Amino acid sequence: MTDKPGVPTMSDVARLAGVSPMTVSRVMNGDPNVRQSTRRKVDDAVAALNYVPNQAARRLAGARPIRVGFLYSNPSAGYLSEFLVGLLNQASIHNVQLVVENCEGERAWDAQTRRLIDNGVDGIILPPPLCDTPGLIDLIDAAGMPAVTVACGQPDERVGAVSIDDYQAAYDMTCHLIALGHHRIGFIIGHPNQTASGRRLAGFKAAIAAKGVESAPELLVQGMFTYRSGLDAAEILLGLEQRPTAVFASNDDMAAATVAIAHRLGLDVPGDLTVAGFDDTALATTIWPELTTVRQPITQMAETAVQFLVRHIRARRDGADEGPQHLVMDFSLIRRQSDAAPRRRPKTSGKR
């Protein structure tokens, strides 16, 4: 049987990774004797080529499927969508069966997690805000269950973790806004139940202090990572007697809401108001003007979480438990049409 034109093969993966096809096969079948550095090269090549192994060959090789529980409770549809793309990409590559549970409601995570454990999943992936839920990792750890958290501001050493440096990302974006000439910058804080929110706020405050620009309590407004909370926060900031010339929101949903309020008030973005977001979800490029934002590689973080969990589970099956892995991935500042230098104009009221 020949491969379809354009469909990546195991040889393509081997060539990109700089290893032999036999080594690729050993990695795909969870051979514990493959060096971690080699395994990572192969995993990266598999992800880059979107290689899907022939399932008949996988069955002949005796590869046991891996069942992974995915618990979620995220108010941002854009964030969740990109996360699921990453999970599904890797699930097809690594013969992973995903068991998805929605944890809405107070302490819903407790029953859902126990159900996953009782139903025999091999591992669990926790995105925000569940990665920060008190008691959840205690429950998983007590069950001896491998797990990986994603985008947690303060990862727990007992489980794997994939994150970015939220503090540095917020610091860098704030410095970018200051470099444009903004000295009165509003900040919409993320949900208080997420450690990443605190890290982003700390990065913002540190940049404001380091650059010696205006710091005022009224420029900090609480949000909840939802579009609705962004509308409310933007109403407050843009209703100030001396409104900010720039607003930095802790995620794209709240930044998009800020743009909407600015338009309703007759303010030009970015002429009258610069707006910056965080995450670089699809929403950032589906509104006008497109958002300047911090790019958090959500899809790649989810893919890496699956890779870490698969390695851990396969190593454990072979009696060579390597323990949880932690990785801090790179972020980047994406500049689009929503930022500019502030116009020179007399102070005016933001009320209409």
Side-chain angles (χ1 to χ4, degrees), residues 3 8-31 34 38-39 41-43 45-46 49 51 53 57-58 61:
D3 292 307
T9 66
M10 186 176 290
S11 295
D12 295 327
V13 174
R15 191 176 304 109
L16 183 59
V19 300
S20 69
M22 180 61 73
T23 298
V24 175
S25 177
R26 291 170 61 201
V27 171
M28 298 301 292
N29 287 297
D31 188 331
V34 180
T38 302
R39 193 182 300 277
K41 288 179 183 178
V42 172
D43 285 340
V46 164
L49 293 172
Y51 170 66
R58 291 293 301 273

Side-chain angles (χ1 to χ4, degrees), residues 147-159:
V148 178
T149 61
V150 181
C152 181
Q154 295 176 310
D156 193 302
E157 292 296 326
R158 294 173 293 174
V159 295

Side-chain angles (χ1 to χ4, degrees), residues 67-103:
R67 300 182 71 233
V68 169
F70 171 56
L71 293 166
Y72 75 93
S73 174
N74 195 302
S76 170
Y79 187 100
L80 183 60
S81 175
E82 293 203 22
F83 202 101
L84 283 170
V85 167
L87 292 184
L88 293 171
N89 283 346
Q90 291 299 301
S92 65
I93 291 169
H94 293 290
N95 200 20
V96 167
Q97 299 173 353
L98 284 175
V99 182
V100 181
E101 294 281 0
N102 184 1
C103 296

Side-chain angles (χ1 to χ4, degrees), residues 156-179:
D156 193 302
E157 292 296 326
R158 294 173 293 174
V159 295
V162 185
S163 61
I164 65 166
D165 189 336
D166 292 278
Y167 175 96
Q168 191 63 50
Y171 184 97
D172 289 356
M173 177 59 82
T174 307
C175 288
H176 166 67
L177 299 178
I178 294 170

Side-chain angles (χ1 to χ4, degrees), residues 150-224:
V150 181
C152 181
Q154 295 176 310
D156 193 302
E157 292 296 326
R158 294 173 293 174
V159 295
V162 185
S163 61
I164 65 166
D165 189 336
D166 292 278
Y167 175 96
Q168 191 63 50
Y171 184 97
D172 289 356
M173 177 59 82
T174 307
C175 288
H176 166 67
L177 299 178
I178 294 170
L180 287 175
H182 295 282
H183 296 282
R184 186 168 170 82
I185 303 171
F187 186 80
I188 303 179
I189 307 166
H191 199 299
N193 73 350
Q194 297 189 33
T195 54
S197 298
R199 297 288 294 162
R200 293 172 193 179
L201 175 60
F204 171 79
K205 287 182 173 180
I208 292 293
K211 301 299 180 180
V213 299
E214 184 173 354
S215 174
E218 68 268 19
L219 293 175
L220 301 178
V221 180
Q222 184 67 56
M224 303 296 282

